[in-house]
Amino acid sequence: MHLAFLRDYHEALVIELARSAPTIERGTVAEATGLTPQAVSKVLARLLGEGVIEAAGVRRPALGKPAAVYRLVPGSRWAVGAHVSRRALRLVLVDLAGAVHASAVTALPGDFTPAQLLRELTAGVAELSAGHPLTGVGIGMIGPLDQARGTVRDAHRLRHWHDVPLASLAEEALGLPVVVDKDVTAGVTAEAWRRGASFRDAALIMVESGLGAGLWLGGAVHRGTHTNAGEFGHTVVQLGGPLCVCGRRGCLEAVHDRATDPAAAAAVLGTGVVNLLQTLDLGHVVLAGADLLRHGEIYRAAVAEAVRTQVPRADWLTVEVSLTGLGTDAIAAGAAMQVLNARYGLPAPSVR
């Protein structure tokens, strides 16, 4: 395995621990990661030199030698996350610990073009990040899209977004590394950062001028073979139902959008969520999106009731249903976290 991969991997293990604990020390890091004390010492020295961690005193045990203690420096690294909806561009500034420090929202023209989005994105990133050197910019975008190539294939309800290489266009405009992913996938990443190791099999369901699901399976994001997983709103729940923007009839999104009031819409969503649970056996369902959060408790209660009454043996197949704790910043925050993960998270073992 390539030495650069091992170095990045070891650093990521230590940073992950430092994110989740107030302080770390060499012995506890070695125990938690399986690295040798010598390897841990080298990693800690590198991260100290880069300013990612700092000394936080000494722990003096009743027995044995004193141990140097370290802590993460959240403000050592920054990223901007962008959430592109069909109506607006939301930007957030996030530190290395995943905390949101500032946010801004800009209205987008109806049926906006790539050039219009890039103009607003460039201006917004410059204003929001002033004085904060950025690791990069993450973009949570409407799908379908090819995440591996950073290309928006055919964003539903946006005519000008056929095979648009958004990642490369944004990198050229911003002069920074850019990660593009589905909005819902960015959102579930944010929830995973906040919730920790117990968040292993989960979905983030977003309702915001569309309907989708970000999937977190086996403790990692799930994008699928073509990196286009999550088109949850375009699964059929009513044969011969209303025409959907995707061209099919009776899609969950189309039936949901035809509902006469929030309670009826929430009941439709509840049925869709139960279908997803029956397919994937999830332990967590997180509800998000500006349209949903306007009636958040109605949706949460309806989905929880659907789980309780429609899932066979719900006493055994338990599911936690909750609203996102990040509010309308969830997608943008997750996009920023993906950028930080690209440099300071566990790397993919593709270089050998």
Side-chain angles (χ1 to χ4, degrees), residues 87-223:
R87 301 186 294 251
L89 171 66
R90 179 178 293 273
L91 299 175
V92 300
L93 179 68
V94 171
D95 68 20
L96 188 55
V100 175
H101 287 258
S103 63
V105 182
T106 302
L108 291 172
D111 200 21
F112 58 88
T113 65
Q116 289 172 319
L117 173 63
L118 289 169
R119 184 164 57 248
E120 297 296 345
L121 179 67
T122 303
V125 168
E127 183 175 351
L128 197 66
S129 66
H132 298 86
L134 295 181
T135 298
V137 174
I139 302 175
M141 180 67 190
I142 305 156
L145 61 79
D146 182 340
Q147 192 274 337
R149 292 174 172 79
T151 298
V152 182
R153 289 303 185 190
D154 287 289
H156 291 310
R157 307 187 200 184
L158 293 175
R159 291 178 302 155
H160 308 291
W161 289 84
H162 175 73
D163 291 346
V164 176
L166 179 57
S168 60
L169 291 174
E171 285 185 348
E172 182 179 355
L174 296 167
L176 290 165
V178 173
V179 173
V180 173
D181 209 339
K182 272 194 172 182
D183 45 15
V184 287
T185 306
V188 80
T189 299
E191 294 298 324
W193 265 48
R194 288 166 57 83
R195 293 169 184 256
S198 65
F199 194 78
R200 286 192 54 79
D201 293 284
L204 177 131
I205 308 297
M206 187 179 79
V207 180
E208 183 165 343
S209 61
L211 203 159
L215 301 175
W216 192 266
L217 304 179
V221 69
H222 177 77
R223 294 188 177 92

Side-chain angles (χ1 to χ4, degrees), residues 86 157 207-211 233-234 242-245 251-261 264-266 268-269 291 299:
R86 294 180 181 87
R157 307 187 200 184
V207 180
E208 183 165 343
S209 61
L211 203 159
H234 301 293
L243 183 65
C244 183
V245 294
C251 286
L252 179 64
E253 181 176 306
V255 176
H256 171 273
D257 291 352
R258 289 283 188 93
T260 56
D261 57 60
V268 172
L269 183 65
D291 294 343
Y299 273 91

